[in-house]
Amino acid sequence: TSDCAASLAACFSLKSRSQAEREASLAWCSEGNSLPLLSVRSGIDLLCTCIRWPAGSEVLITALNIPDVPRILSLHGLKCVPLDLDLSTLSPPPSAITAACTTKTVALLVAHVYGARVDMQPLIEAARSRGLVVVEDCAEAWSGSQGYRGCDQSDVVMFSFGPIKYSTAFQGGIMRCRDAKLLQRMRQVHSQWPVQSKLTYLIRCVRFTAYVLLQRPVVLGAIMWFLKLLGFDHQKFFVWLIRSFSSTSCNSAYLRRLRVQPSAPLLT
């Protein structure tokens, strides 16, 4: 509920968007090599847009991932090559990276899932030996301001603050990039995207605040009973309620929803 109150209060802040963006970036990384985003999905799309890998290039991704990741990569003409995981660590063995690499392989994308922390160092060493860009998807690894911030040796690290995350803002993400020139290109492209309206973010905050307040056994039971009465699948309903991006939208509409700059309240 404290996250709900903070998010709603931010919607009425008088802070300018430029100030909020600058403060968010510096709060995350004092060196200023970070970029606040609408989501990790937006970050992956932005990275692919700016790095411009040739069509048909291959990206190694950890096999346990959300469907949006291969969808975004494929929209940029890239081929996903999944890496099987060791179920005791939820990490691929470094040897799998070497075995999966071809002359077309350009990057390794590692997702930390279910709160597990993958040991990045051996994976980075294997990727570096093949000249790969290393991307960390830490959407499920956020545990607060004093928690894990990604491996310093990763080329790109992205975190999410979506509705099911620890210390949520109901949306938003942030990217850290080691390559100053690449980060500058991403900032330039990102600055051309439309800005999310304050009203859009306010509606989102109200929606998720209501969802949080309704999470009582009696209330949820009544909702589930009513949905069943109407012939709706309650599981699909709740997944739809908390999902940030529709998986059924056409590709052009999907990309338009990703390519939006976060509003001032979200940055605050």
Side-chain angles (χ1 to χ4, degrees), residues 121-170:
Q121 198 58 47
L123 304 184
I124 290 174
E125 290 174 2
R128 289 279 186 268
S129 69
R130 303 303 295 262
L132 307 184
V133 174
V134 179
V135 181
E136 267 190 90
D137 177 355
C138 301
E140 296 186 24
W142 172 242
S143 60
S145 59
Q146 302 303 313
Y148 181 69
R149 294 291 188 100
C151 180
D152 291 339
Q153 298 305 308
S154 295
D155 295 296
V156 176
V157 178
M158 289 178 281
F159 278 84
S160 170
F161 311 112
I164 61 173
K165 305 303 189 299
Y166 182 89
S167 293
T168 180
F170 301 126

Side-chain angles (χ1 to χ4, degrees), residues 171-190:
Q171 199 171 30
I174 199 159
M175 169 194 288
R176 192 190 75 224
C177 181
R178 293 179 68 224
D179 186 329
K181 291 183 178 179
L182 175 58
L183 178 60
Q184 183 59 30
R185 287 202 300 274
M186 289 193 288
R187 281 178 172 155
Q188 290 173 347
V189 172
H190 188 250

Side-chain angles (χ1 to χ4, degrees), residues 4 39 41 43 58 78 87 116 129 152 172 191 212 225 234 241 250 255:
C4 297
S39 69
R41 294 173 180 86
E58 298 173 352
L78 305 174
L87 294 182
S129 69
D152 291 339
S191 67
V212 170
W225 175 83
H234 69 275
L241 188 63
C250 68
L255 289 175

Side-chain angles (χ1 to χ4, degrees), residues 112-117 140-141:
H112 303 267
V113 294
Y114 302 136
R117 306 282 171 75
E140 296 186 24

Side-chain angles (χ1 to χ4, degrees), residues 81-246:
V81 179
L83 299 175
D84 289 334
L85 306 181
D86 179 338
L87 294 182
S88 65
T89 62
L90 294 180
S91 171
S95 58
I97 296 173
T98 304
C101 276
T102 70
T103 55
K104 294 184 177 181
T105 308
V106 293
L108 168 67
L109 193 157
V110 177
H112 303 267
V113 294
Y114 302 136
R117 306 282 171 75
V118 173
D119 182 3
M120 291 296 300
Q121 198 58 47
L123 304 184
I124 290 174
E125 290 174 2
R128 289 279 186 268
S129 69
R130 303 303 295 262
L132 307 184
V133 174
V134 179
V135 181
E136 267 190 90
D137 177 355
C138 301
E140 296 186 24
W142 172 242
S143 60
S145 59
Q146 302 303 313
Y148 181 69
R149 294 291 188 100
C151 180
D152 291 339
Q153 298 305 308
S154 295
D155 295 296
V156 176
V157 178
M158 289 178 281
F159 278 84
S160 170
F161 311 112
I164 61 173
K165 305 303 189 299
Y166 182 89
S167 293
T168 180
F170 301 126
Q171 199 171 30
I174 199 159
M175 169 194 288
R176 192 190 75 224
C177 181
R178 293 179 68 224
D179 186 329
K181 291 183 178 179
L182 175 58
L183 178 60
Q184 183 59 30
R185 287 202 300 274
M186 289 193 288
R187 281 178 172 155
Q188 290 173 347
V189 172
H190 188 250
S191 67
Q192 302 303 311
W193 291 359
V195 177
Q196 177 191 50
S197 72
K198 290 185 177 182
L199 178 59
T200 297
Y201 183 62
L202 174 60
I203 292 172
R204 186 176 183 84
C205 291
V206 171
R207 170 183 161 193
F208 284 107
T209 297
Y211 175 76
V212 170
L213 296 176
L214 288 174
Q215 290 190 57
R216 303 291 184 272
V218 174
V219 177
L220 283 179
I223 293 173
M224 290 168 62
W225 175 83
F226 183 68
L227 290 172
K228 185 177 181 180
L229 187 66
L230 296 176
F232 290 108
D233 184 326
H234 69 275
Q235 291 184 334
K236 291 182 178 179
F237 172 77
F238 285 113
V239 168
W240 167 82
L241 188 63
I242 65 174
R243 178 170 284 165
S244 295
F245 298 95
S246 172

Side-chain angles (χ1 to χ4, degrees), residues 29-125:
C29 184
S30 59
E31 291 84 2
N33 59 347
S34 60
L35 176 63
L37 302 161
L38 187 71
S39 69
V40 165
R41 294 173 180 86
S42 303
I44 294 173
D45 173 56
L46 181 62
L47 174 65
C48 293
T49 298
C50 294
I51 209 164
R52 297 175 184 172
W53 285 307
S57 296
E58 298 173 352
V59 177
L60 308 182
I61 67 169
T62 43
L64 195 56
N65 224 307
I66 61 171
D68 291 59
V69 170
R71 180 180 185 181
I72 294 168
L73 294 176
S74 67
L75 289 174
H76 286 273
L78 305 174
K79 178 183 177 182
C80 292
V81 179
L83 299 175
D84 289 334
L85 306 181
D86 179 338
L87 294 182
S88 65
T89 62
L90 294 180
S91 171
S95 58
I97 296 173
T98 304
C101 276
T102 70
T103 55
K104 294 184 177 181
T105 308
V106 293
L108 168 67
L109 193 157
V110 177
H112 303 267
V113 294
Y114 302 136
R117 306 282 171 75
V118 173
D119 182 3
M120 291 296 300
Q121 198 58 47
L123 304 184
I124 290 174
E125 290 174 2

